[in-house]
């Protein structure tokens, strides 16, 4: 997979799932920005996929 396709996939994933994510908004209200961000990166399946794509880009 080349960088251009990875960036396209990242954008599509973010726009489709993360942009209006109810869970992230709720966690920001209840626990704060840091907790919500940590949840997205470490526990959310979409966040894990985004993280994997980022790892591919940094190792490329």
């Amino acid at each position: 997979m080349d960088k251009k396709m990875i960036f396209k996939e990242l954008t599509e994933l973010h726009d489709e799932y993360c942009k209006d994510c109810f869970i992230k908004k709720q966690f920001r209200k209840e626990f704060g920005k840091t907790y919500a961000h940590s949840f997205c990166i470490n526990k959310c399946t979409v966040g894990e996929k985004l993280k994997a794509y980022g790892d591919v880009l940094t190792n490329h």
Side-chain angles (χ1 to χ4, degrees):
M1 206 176 220
D2 67 335
K3 286 184 178 185
K4 190 174 183 180
M5 289 188 67
I6 291 174
F7 280 119
K8 182 180 179 210
E9 184 69 23
L10 284 170
T11 303
E12 288 174 1
L13 280 173
H14 182 268
D15 289 348
E16 188 171 339
Y17 297 106
C18 302
K19 203 172 194 177
D20 298 319
C21 179
F22 172 76
I23 295 170
K24 183 178 178 182
K25 287 179 186 176
Q26 192 62 32
F27 281 165
R28 278 186 81 150
K29 278 185 197 176
E30 290 182 25
F31 304 110
K33 183 179 177 180
T34 305
Y35 180 85
H37 185 73
S38 177
F39 170 82
C40 292
I41 292 171
N42 298 313
K43 296 179 184 166
C44 177
T45 56
V46 176
E48 289 173 355
K49 190 175 273 192
L50 293 173
K51 188 176 176 181
Y53 280 128
D55 291 340
V56 170
L57 285 174
T58 57
N59 292 329
H60 224 246

